Amino acid sequence: MSLYRLDGGLDLAEYLLSVDSADVRVNRRVYLGDVECFVMGGVLRSDAPSWADHVQSLTGIDFDFPGDMRFAVLLVPLPPWTYALTWGAGHLLVDSELIEQAFGLMFGIRRLDCARLGLVASSALDATARATQTSFPGGSDLGGFRLEPYGELVNRVAGPADLRGLTYGKETGKPYRIKVGNALWAPLAREPQALLADLRAIGEAVDEPDDHSALRFVAQTRPLPKSHPKRAELDSRLAAALGGDEAAGVLGLAWPDDAVRDVEEAGSFRIQRLGPWSSYVVDTNIELSAFTERFKLISPQDRLDNLKTARVVTCIDDVGQEESGSLTSLRKWFAFETTIDNVRYCYHQGKWLRIGEGFVNQIRDQVAALLKNRSNLSFPHWTPTGQRDDEHRFCELTAEQDGYVCLDRNFASTPFHPRFELCDVVGPGDEMVHVKWLGGAPAASHLMIQAQVAAQALRDESDVLEQLNTKVRALDPGRPYMDPSVIVLAAAGRTWDVDQLFTLSQLGLLRLHRTLRHLRCTLQFADIPYTPKKSSRAAKLAA
């Protein structure tokens, strides 16, 4: 059985979706004690499975048979909430837009035994698109799961929990292995009055302080449901920002998770279906103004609809003719941040996230301290030319200094990483320097990913260090053997200033720092002197 919590106040039947294939056998009001509830049950019927033709073509056997899935849903209103108990396929009938996000997690934070967790599933809030699920049959503390305390969206947790206050806890006095996410999977009472008491006890537990829990960081960053009371205002602010209104919040560009590899290899981007005009092409040095100038011509009330329908396709050539990737929604190409009532809201990968203001301040303070780790390397002045090889020219110019070596575009290769850059420049003290013009969040993400991939390859793949030394000695024959441990992020276009970084970029830096520490590497920062590009002020605001 799964337990969900829903926004209260609706007629009970409105919480359930209408499913054409449902053969409903029970559909009526019932009473649990003096609480009027609603129950639905029956069978969900399906046609032949989608894979039937494939397996028949391979074996000659006809797999054309339908399937049945039994379901039951019990809706229990206990204002200000309505609880949904589902059995079998019943969860498929509950309207997901009304479900309280992370309700089960809120219970788990307060009641799970954090020293004996059995499973944790999470995803990273960055451009890596990393999703993980780790389990320990015998249980482990948080250290065993190597969870990142910053920018990690925990989706599910399982483990033994204290069920005091619930019927099971009262009758047995023992912990029980529960699973939590948006729903709570736990043993609940079979008798009506006891079930109502269990639901009230669960609600009280969710309202308890979480100061004692090692899992409390899980609650700091959560997805925002469409029914959230601030959604209308947030969407309005995003629409205003798309049209260039800087007072609405900070808008920037961000690479979509599902197109990182395509973007890396692109020569240009073709924008389709943005407004009533024909498609247009932008180069890989894409600027925010390439979009905001178009959105200004669209009425504010229509901008989000256009954001959803517009598509970006990567092209291998520089004129947008030869497609090299799949279409991605334009809504995944923007990052936006704004603050309402001391709560920070972030738009990332087409979804809204809530980040508690206290957590934002904590992140900011730690990033500010991290950015004090400055490199003493020297760099020439970077004057942008607008050419595609700007970065390479700058790296070659840097390497004209004594002790510096340019490795930009000099790719290494391993079975795990077929084509990657070890760094852009090697410093005189064997520093591995990664160089980037920070024109927006995509560049910041690329810089961090490149540094992490290179460092992990150097430490974890046996022949990479030899490849590095071979490449460096080919350019500097008298160079002693290298075993680098200092990683430098060198940036132009802006300085390394916490106030110029998106919250999610700050999270990425903290995660990179933590990873490099595990790899026995030191992270440093360098500001490259530069001449600004000619671009709109909005494009410069955040990375």
Side-chain angles (χ1 to χ4, degrees), residues 308-384:
K308 294 176 183 177
T309 57
R311 295 292 183 267
V312 180
V313 60
T314 55
C315 300
I316 198 67
D317 62 323
D318 59 4
V319 292
Q321 295 297 316
E322 187 178 348
E323 296 183 7
S324 61
S326 58
L327 291 170
T328 57
S329 174
L330 183 59
R331 64 190 175 89
K332 293 187 176 183
W333 285 74
F334 286 97
F336 176 68
E337 288 189 8
T338 190
T339 300
I340 301 176
D341 298 334
N342 295 321
V343 177
R344 184 71 58 87
Y345 296 93
C346 300
Y347 184 81
H348 176 69
Q349 301 295 331
K351 299 178 181 178
W352 282 107
L353 303 165
R354 175 193 60 78
I355 303 179
E357 187 63 19
F359 193 48
V360 171
N361 292 335
Q362 180 184 356
I363 293 166
R364 186 188 182 282
D365 291 344
Q366 295 190 39
V367 171
L370 178 61
L371 293 177
K372 292 179 180 179
N373 299 325
R374 294 289 166 157
S375 170
N376 59 8
L377 296 177
S378 62
F379 295 91
H381 193 93
W382 188 337
T383 302

Side-chain angles (χ1 to χ4, degrees), residues 23-30 38-43 71 73:
D23 178 8
V24 178
R25 310 285 179 84
V26 177
N27 183 19
R28 63 189 180 93
R29 307 275 169 165
V30 295
F38 181 81
V39 64
M40 178 183 287
V43 178
F71 71 87
V73 182

Side-chain angles (χ1 to χ4, degrees), residues 61 115 149 303 398:
I61 301 171
R303 286 174 186 164
T398 302

